[in-house]
Structures are given as structure tokens and as C-alpha cells.
Amino acid sequence: MKIVLTNDDGIESPGLAALYESLSALGDVTAVAPAEDMSATGRALSREVVVDEHEYGYAVHGTPSDCVIAALESLVPDADLVVSGCNRGGNLGMYVLGRSGTVSAAVESAFFGVPAISVSLALTSADFEGGATPKEEYAEAAAVTRYLVEHTLDAGVFERADYLNVNAPRPGTEVDEIAVTTPTRGYDMSVERAGEHLRLHDEMWDRIDGGVVAGEPADSDLRAVVEGKTSVSPLTAPHTTEHHEVLDTLVADY
């Protein structure tokens, strides 16, 4: 198996190192990842990037989407799978998917027709603000990723899903269980104004900190992580359309 490994935290991040070591037992892993932290860049693209060789593969001076395009079009064109992660911090909820560089790398791969898995480690705000998360704290996320890589391709999972979005619970969680989920549909952004300054706040962190899952359905990715389970959401990348008779009428009357 030929695996492309990327992320948005950068090629030197402990989360990427943890996945590189875990997945190397399954096949030929080549990292094609940003040379620096490119978090929350979504599917931003560059017109030209510089690529440096790295002990894990290639460091790209660009975005996660740049990395996937460079990998699948040039550096590792025969890849069987793209794995993106492990991100430091969760990527939970519909409204986060398009913003996350980690998830966007998986989406980019899906448009190439190459199966992908994005992986994140859900942290509390105290965890995130407390300094770097060491490689050993990604152990459970790495173990689940290895299990999924080892079994999902042959099982036909990607015949219906384009990519999997995985969120492992915070380090030290004792529950050893995987839950198949859907991204929560709530929207948790708020704004606080202080004069000319506007502070944009993602309240998902508050919900994780407080274990708040009121109103969340049983298959919510947020609920799974708060309950100490690893969330796996099978998702599709192409933007779907449906026949819309009202719109047909409107354009016909133009």
C-alpha cells in the first residue's frame, strides 16, 4: 500500500510523526506536508510552491490542498490512500469541515478519486493553550487510524464514502470505542465587540470543555468525543444538487 501523509499543522508536528510511525507498518508512507503550520486554511491554493526533501518525504511551502495536488499529480501519483493528520484539536461539526486544512486535504484527495482519512485529536481549550501536545499523546488516534487504514479499503467502505473524518477524544480517555457518527449541524460561532475590534469565538471549544451535548442526536460527532469515543464520520466530497422545480419556474419566467 502506498500512503500519502499530510496535515495542516506542518511536517514537523508531533501528530504527523505519530501517524507516520504507526502507518509505516502497513505500507510505504510518504509525507507531503506543509513546511510550516497552515491551520484553518481550508482548500486555499497557491499558484506555485517550493518543495524540499524531508526525512519523511517532502516539505511543501504551501497549503494542505497544495500538498495533496503536488503528491497525487507529481510526487506520489500512484498513491492508494491519503491520510491527513493528526491535527492538534478537534474538527467537529458541519460548519468546521470547509474551514479545516486537515479535512480539506482529505476533500482534495476525494476529488482525485483517491480514498482519504482526516484525523484530529479533540482537546479542551486548556489542553490546547497549555503548550505543545507530545507525540505519545496521539497514540490512541494513531492506533485507530492504523486500524481503519488496514481494514476499510478491502471492506468496501470507500465504495459509498469519499473520505472519513476521524476525531479521537482527548489524551487519557479510558473508553476504547469507535462510534460511526455524523457531523453536528449546530453553528457555534459568536462575535464579541470591543470598540473597533471584533473577536470571533468558536463556542465548540466551550462545549467540549463543559461536556455540553444537550440536544445532540445519538450519532453526533460531538457527543461521541465528549463521551470518550473516537468519532468516525463517513462523508462525501462532491457538492450534490437536487432537481428544484421552483427554481425551474423562476428561471423560465426571466
Side-chain angles (χ1 to χ4, degrees), residues 7-24:
N7 71 353
D8 70 357
D9 289 341
I11 199 165
E12 299 291 348
S13 65
L16 183 140
L19 291 191
Y20 184 90
E21 292 179 6
S22 179
L23 298 178
S24 290

Side-chain angles (χ1 to χ4, degrees), residues 121 123 132-141 169-172:
L121 180 65
L123 301 173
T133 304
K135 183 173 67 175
E136 56 267 21
E137 295 195 356
Y138 293 91
E140 180 61 25
R170 67 184 303 243

